[in-house]
Amino acid sequence: MVEAQTWTTRRMSNPRLETGANDQMLDIPVTPPGDVRNNNMSWSYFSFSPNLMTAMIIASWYFSNIGVLLLNKYLLSFYGFRYPIFLTMLHMLSCAAYSYAAINFLELVPLQHIHSKRQFLKILALSAIFCFSVVCGNTSLRYLPVSFNQAIGATTPFFTAIFAFVITCKKESGEVYLALVPVVFGIVLASNSEPLFHLFGFLVCLGSTAGRALKSVVQGIILTSEAEKLHSMNLLLYMAPMAAMILLPFTLYIEGNVAAVTAEKAKGDPFIVFLLIGNATVAYLVNLTNFLVTKHTSALTLQVLGNAKAAVAAVVSVLIFRNPVTVMGITGFAVTLMGVVLYSEAKKRSKDGAVNEWSLIKASKEWIRETNLSFGSLNQQPWILINPYG
């Protein structure tokens, strides 16, 4: 006999079934008060959309990349702080400190460790190349305007192609090599018409550009193992202190007791402390925003932004420092940037073609394997596909 269910009612409540001691009750969350609801609505109203966040990151990338160039130029050429090696060492110390905080405290990326002496030596070699490139770049700003400095820096793809061929014997397509012609031709035009041309500054700027290209090629060679690959933020964490230790004896030997000179100058002009700290902080932000742009967009977007950054930095520097420019110089810079864009597009098409060719080969191999398995089962012997045309 089925026992009838009994109903109980309470005042100011709805009828419900009687529950036993073992029955589960459904907990209904309490409705938050109005002030809490309004507060949550205000936070959601002021939260950033993904598009706005990406735009802010790209703006920060432009600010940091152009800002560090202008600050370096101001310090080394106009303010009278003529110690590019010491300035670069401050950049490295700043990158080491900020990277440690970003990884260990803010946890922007997981911490990776160096697992072998071989990996340590590889990172040390990259640090040495990195030092050479940055010191040459900062030194060139003492003698060259930022606009011409950026025009020379735009020739990085040319040196990358040369080092890739010399070191790895990697050959590019004819279209890629053809795109390098306007890159070189444009910088020749700009050099011949630069009013503030300085031979030593031009040579060290070329050295800086070649160093950047060499670092990218060498990094692609020596850190290819999955066990040795490091995230860009972790790589900076280890490279920056190594670079600072490499630069220390050079700044002491070449620039003298620059720390004491800087401290003495700070007593009479405390503004230099603000300049140096701000300059070193912006130098780290360059690396941080590179990571953030790649994370929120893509490596291709970062490459496109880099192409446009040279032109923007050149225009901003001319407006601020009022260095003279010529029509031929502007034309040469434009031709170089056009060549860089053509080079990027040619590399992209070459890479896509290689991927498509590899996919076709892989699909063909898979079809052959499946065909062999299917027809080979007829006589239990593997089939061999032979080209009837030899």
Side-chain angles (χ1 to χ4, degrees), residues 43-104:
W43 277 110
S44 62
Y45 178 78
F46 286 105
S47 62
F48 297 115
S49 65
N51 292 336
L52 180 59
M53 178 63 71
T54 302
M56 292 176 61
I57 290 173
I58 291 175
S60 301
W61 183 88
Y62 270 106
F63 169 79
S64 58
N65 277 267
I66 297 176
V68 73
L69 280 171
L70 299 180
L71 282 173
N72 288 344
K73 179 64 178 177
Y74 177 75
L75 276 167
L76 296 170
S77 294
F78 295 90
Y79 191 78
F81 189 81
R82 303 184 183 278
Y83 306 105
I85 303 177
F86 180 72
L87 182 64
T88 305
M89 190 180 73
L90 290 181
H91 289 180
M92 297 301 107
L93 293 174
S94 169
C95 288
Y98 284 122
S99 296
Y100 183 84
I103 294 176
N104 290 277

Side-chain angles (χ1 to χ4, degrees), residues 272-290:
I272 191 175
V273 178
F274 170 78
L275 279 177
L276 292 177
I277 294 177
N279 180 260
T281 301
V282 175
Y284 170 73
L285 291 179
V286 170
N287 297 278
L288 178 62
T289 53
N290 281 344

Side-chain angles (χ1 to χ4, degrees), residues 244-287:
M245 294 301 296
I246 293 173
L247 291 172
L248 180 60
F250 286 96
T251 186
L252 291 177
Y253 179 76
I254 298 175
E255 297 175 337
N257 194 6
V258 61
V261 174
T262 304
E264 186 66 26
K265 191 169 185 177
K267 293 180 181 178
D269 185 10
F271 184 62
I272 191 175
V273 178
F274 170 78
L275 279 177
L276 292 177
I277 294 177
N279 180 260
T281 301
V282 175
Y284 170 73
L285 291 179
V286 170
N287 297 278

